[in-house]
Structures are given as C-alpha cells and as structure tokens.
C-alpha cells in the first residue's frame, strides 16, 4: 500500500544558509499575510473570497513590485499561497477557524518546498535543498520512496529540523492471531488485558521544578528589559534565556514522542486486534484537578499513532464507547457491580468472588466488548 510517510531529521545549516532560511521564512509569511488581507477585503466588498488561481495569477506582479521576493525559493512562496487556500477550504467546511495573520514573533517558523526535477535529494550525510545547496543533517535512517516535499522548521530552541514527506510502499505485517484490550490511565499509562502495566513516565512533572526555576528567570529578564525600555526582540539576555526554556520543553516533548512511538509500534507488531476506549479527552481537560496530568500523558497522540500504524500494517483498531461501563462489570462472570469511586482500585465480585484489579478488569472488559463488536460487524 502506498502511504505518505514523514521522515524528520535535524539539520545544521551554516551562517549563510541560516540567513537564507530566515529570508525564505519571512517572504513566505509576507505572501501569506498579503493575500490573506486581500482575501478578507474582497470578501467584505463583494461577499465572496478569492481563489488560489486568482491569487497565483497576481503573484508574478507582486514579485515585479518587490524584487526581494525573487531572492528566495519560488516554490516555497507558492506553497505559502496554497496553504492559505487550503486553510480557507477547511474553514468553509467548518473544520477549523478562519485563517489568521502569521507573526514573526511566533515561536515556530517554517516553510515548505516541493520536489521538482531532483531539487531535493540525499547525498551521504548532506541533503540538497533549493537555494540552500548542500546542508549537513543527522542521518538516522534512510528515506524510502519518492520524495514529495520538505518542510524546513526553526524551533524556539534555535534548532533547525527538516521533515521530508515521501510516498512509501508499506507492506502489511504478518498476522499474530492475538488481540489485546487497553485501559488508559494516569497512575499507569496503559493497562493491558494480559495484566501488563505500562509505566506513566510523567515527563512534564519530572521536569516541573527546573521548568519553574528557568521560567521565573525568564520573567525577571523580561521585566528588566521592560524597565530599561528595551524591546524583547533586542534583549539578548532575555532571548538567551527564552531559548534555554524552549530547549527544556523540547526535551520533554521529544521524550514523550519517543515513548509513544515505541509503545504504539510494539502493540501493532504483536497484536492483530487492539481494543481501546474512545475517550473524550477535550471534555476531560475541563477538569482542572486532572487537566495537567491528562495533558502530560497525551492519550490523543497515542491513539492517533495507533490508528495510522494499524491502517498501514493491516491491523484492526476497535474503539469502545466512552459510556461502556468497563470498570463496573466483572470480567469473569459478567455481573454488573455498579459505579465505583476512583479511590477504589481493587474489588471482589459478590457473585463469583473473583478478586479484581480495577484497571486490569476494565481492560479485559474492553477486549471482550471489542471482540464482540468485530464479530457482529
């Protein structure tokens, strides 16, 4: 099966390449904002917006007026225009809010360029990119398939990354004739129906003390710059501390992403059917007492990874209704014992006298319900 697969690498541009990157990001942002303003004005005057083709036809005239737009990758500018058009399309389909103007103060800055006539290629530990030439990168694996596009991104930490999208042929994995039920939690990240418990590493919580200390230092430097009438963009000590804080957050994000990727891959490789609760994470985040813990475990990201990997490798994901009483039913005899408070972690069935670990019992019930749904489908 042909799928679009992203490969992410860290790149190490030289000073001149960094300047060219910054120039391309700035030009892409300018074109996006310029045509967004025109789109909004046209809508207010006529009740109709512009189209991608109409904006694209105006782009050569804009380049004649502003010659500095010719100094950067033309495909990156065209991609910025396409992104604007796609954003409006999603807005009219009520998939997201209306496009907003891009700011140079935004912590993440990026641009996208497309593959045409071999302008993006790998050469050893270097990658060839339009207008940049050869850029050294950390080659952790080979890119398989036909390269479609590349997104160059500058993180708040000051590090540069490239995401290469390639059309790759993915083959289904061998069948294991195994099914598993998963109950997601906060004390343990995941409790499997075979009794295994996956530790919740609490990446943010472990870094919380250090994050608070560095965040306070950042606030003091911001106040110092304000008292001296210095713009934060020009305050070197503030910018230095800002990058330090960003690196800490980036470390937490990388740890979490690595953990979720490895766990989801392991489950997909070892099981044909994976049954999991369809949790309302958005609603649960409204609980202020649990919001930080729920955000730290990243259930949504985990389910998303499981879903696309299952699609790639020919496995089945079964989502159980959030209203299914997995914690209230005895997995041994099926007796419905009623709702229990979160403090109760173990209980004994009054009918068959089986002693249950609350979470393991829930995962067994999730597995049984998932297999029932598969059988009746």
């Amino acid at each position: 099966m042909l799928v679009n697969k992203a490969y992410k690498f860290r790149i190490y541009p030289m000073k001149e390449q960094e300047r060219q990157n910054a120039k391309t990001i700035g030009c892409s942002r300018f074109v996006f904002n310029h045509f967004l303003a025109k789109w909004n004005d046209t809508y207010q005057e006529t009740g109709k917006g512009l189209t991608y083709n109409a904006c694209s036809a105006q782009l050569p005239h804009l380049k004649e007026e502003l010659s500095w737009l010719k100094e950067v990758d033309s495909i990156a500018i065209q991609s910025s225009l396409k992104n604007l058009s796609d954003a409006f399309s999603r807005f009219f389909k009520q998939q997201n809010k209306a496009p907003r103007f891009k700011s140079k103060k935004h912590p993440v800055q990026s641009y996208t360029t497309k593959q045409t006539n071999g302008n993006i290629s790998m050469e050893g530990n270097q990658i060839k990119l339009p207008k940049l030439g050869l850029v050294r990168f950390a080659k952790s694996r080979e890119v398989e398939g036909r390269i479609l596009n590349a997104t160059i991104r500058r993180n708040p930490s000051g590090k540069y990354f490239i995401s290469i999208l390639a059309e790759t042929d993915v083959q289904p994995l061998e069948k294991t004739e195994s099914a598993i039920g998963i109950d997601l939690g906060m004390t343990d990240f995941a409790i499997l129906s075979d009794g295994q418990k996956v530790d919740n590493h609490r990446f943010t919580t472990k870094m919380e003390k250090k994050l608070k200390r560095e965040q306070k230092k950042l606030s003091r430097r911001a106040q110092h710059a304000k008292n001296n009438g210095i713009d934060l963009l020009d305050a070197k000590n503030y910018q230095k501390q800002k990058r330090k804080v960003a690196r800490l957050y980036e470390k937490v994000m990388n740890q979490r992403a690595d953990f979720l990727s490895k766990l989801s891959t392991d489950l997909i490789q070892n099981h044909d059917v994976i049954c999991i609760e369809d949790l309302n994470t958005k609603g649960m985040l409204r609980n202020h007492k649990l919001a930080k813990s729920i955000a730290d475990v990243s259930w949504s990201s985990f389910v998303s990874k499981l879903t696309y990997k299952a699609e790639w490798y020919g496995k089945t994901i079964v989502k159980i209704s959030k209203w299914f009483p997995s914690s209230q039913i005895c997995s041994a005899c099926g007796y419905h014992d009623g709702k229990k408070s979160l403090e109760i972690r173990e209980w004994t069935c009054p009918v068959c006298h089986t002693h249950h670990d609350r979470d393991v019992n829930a995962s067994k019930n999730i597995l049984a319900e998932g297999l029932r749904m598969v059988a009746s489908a």
Side-chain angles (χ1 to χ4, degrees):
M1 179 176 67
L2 287 176
V3 300
N4 289 346
K5 192 173 183 180
Y7 297 84
K8 185 178 178 181
F9 305 101
R10 185 175 175 186
I11 59 174
Y12 301 90
M14 293 182 288
K15 289 294 181 184
E16 183 55 42
Q17 290 172 329
E18 282 188 21
R19 281 192 287 270
Q20 185 64 32
N21 265 335
K23 197 184 292 185
T24 307
I25 289 169
C27 289
S28 298
R29 182 176 59 244
F30 173 83
V31 168
F32 184 95
N33 291 343
H34 175 82
F35 284 102
L36 174 55
K38 279 201 165 194
W39 205 304
N40 290 338
D41 292 343
T42 304
Y43 183 78
Q44 288 179 353
E45 292 169 6
T46 65
K48 292 182 180 180
L50 297 173
T51 63
Y52 169 73
N53 290 334
C55 294
S56 185
Q58 296 178 34
L59 193 54
H61 302 293
L62 186 64
K63 285 184 178 180
E64 291 301 323
E65 293 175 20
L66 306 169
S67 58
W68 42 269
L69 286 175
K70 297 178 182 178
E71 297 173 9
V72 301
D73 179 16
S74 59
I75 301 174
I77 293 177
Q78 200 75 39
S79 296
S80 183
L81 202 53
K82 188 71 171 67
N83 290 341
L84 175 62
S85 174
D86 291 344
F88 269 111
S89 296
R90 290 193 298 272
F91 169 62
F92 292 130
K93 291 176 184 175
Q94 298 184 337
Q95 293 176 348
N96 55 230
K97 295 180 180 178
R100 294 184 298 176
F101 292 100
K102 292 188 176 183
S103 169
K104 66 178 180 180
K105 294 182 180 179
H106 193 278
V108 177
Q109 300 286 338
S110 66
Y111 72 88
T112 299
T113 184
K114 292 182 180 178
Q115 159 82 306
T116 54
N117 300 321
N119 61 344
I120 303 172
S121 62
M122 306 286 187
E123 298 181 17
N125 67 338
Q126 293 181 311
I127 181 169
K128 188 176 86 171
L129 294 168
K131 292 287 185 180
L132 294 180
L134 293 173
V135 184
R136 190 166 60 89
F137 77 112
K139 190 176 184 179
S140 54
R141 54 181 172 164
E142 294 290 339
V143 173
E144 298 174 1
R146 181 171 65 91
I147 296 174
L148 300 176
N149 62 47
T151 299
I152 292 85
R153 166 178 170 150
R154 185 180 68 228
N155 278 3
S157 60
K159 297 175 183 176
Y160 286 86
F161 291 88
I162 184 167
S163 293
I164 297 173
L165 187 68
E167 190 178 59
T168 309
D169 186 20
V170 175
Q171 298 298 323
L173 294 172
E174 289 184 14
K175 298 297 181 183
T176 61
E177 305 301 329
S178 171
I180 197 83
I182 305 174
D183 181 46
L184 297 174
M186 284 180 288
T187 306
D188 297 295
F189 175 78
I191 302 89
L192 310 184
S193 55
D194 60 5
Q196 181 186 351
K197 294 186 177 183
V198 180
D199 183 37
N200 175 9
H201 295 279
R202 294 182 176 84
F203 298 110
T204 305
T205 305
K206 288 177 182 176
M207 196 73 79
E208 194 168 24
K209 190 175 180 181
K210 194 170 185 178
L211 280 168
K212 278 185 178 178
R213 184 173 67 244
E214 298 301 333
Q215 198 74 52
K216 282 182 180 178
K217 193 183 288 186
L218 182 69
S219 298
R220 287 198 298 270
R221 291 189 177 181
Q223 189 61 47
H224 183 266
K226 186 179 177 182
N227 293 340
N228 288 282
I230 304 171
D231 188 275
L232 290 182
L233 289 173
D234 300 321
K236 291 184 178 179
N237 285 338
Y238 171 82
Q239 292 298 333
K240 185 179 177 181
Q241 182 62 22
K242 188 179 177 183
R243 286 192 294 273
K244 189 174 182 179
V245 171
R247 282 196 296 271
L248 290 176
Y249 278 109
E250 193 176 276
K251 184 177 181 180
V252 171
M253 182 183 70
N254 290 340
Q255 287 175 330
R256 187 186 295 118
D258 182 64
F259 163 69
L260 295 178
S261 291
K262 286 177 178 176
L263 177 59
S264 58
T265 299
D266 181 65
L267 289 167
I268 291 294
Q269 287 175 341
N270 294 304
H271 305 286
D272 293 341
V273 180
I274 299 171
C275 309
I276 195 165
E277 279 184 297
D278 189 13
L279 296 170
N280 178 19
T281 310
K282 219 177 240 187
M284 294 170 77
L285 285 170
R286 296 194 189 102
N287 184 333
H288 298 299
K289 292 182 180 178
L290 300 175
K292 188 184 285 187
S293 299
I294 292 169
D296 195 21
V297 291
S298 295
W299 289 331
S300 296
S301 178
F302 175 63
V303 174
S304 175
K305 289 178 188 295
L306 273 180
T307 303
Y308 77 73
K309 287 178 183 180
E311 187 180 340
W312 285 2
Y313 299 113
K315 302 302 178 82
T316 303
I317 299 290
V318 184
K319 293 186 179 179
I320 311 301
S321 169
K322 61 188 175 186
W323 304 115
F324 178 69
S326 57
S327 299
Q328 303 172 26
I329 301 171
C330 171
S331 58
C333 69
Y335 175 72
H336 196 297
D337 196 40
K339 197 171 182 180
K340 301 171 183 64
S341 62
L342 288 172
E343 290 77 25
I344 299 174
R345 307 315 303 168
E346 296 182 4
W347 61 284
T348 302
C349 176
V351 176
C352 68
H353 307 294
T354 304
H355 187 72
H356 294 294
D357 177 294
R358 177 192 179 116
D359 298 324
V360 173
N361 178 67
S363 63
K364 288 179 179 178
N365 286 325
I366 288 169
L367 172 61
E369 176 65 10
L371 293 177
R372 185 195 66 78
M373 290 171 65
V374 170
S376 62

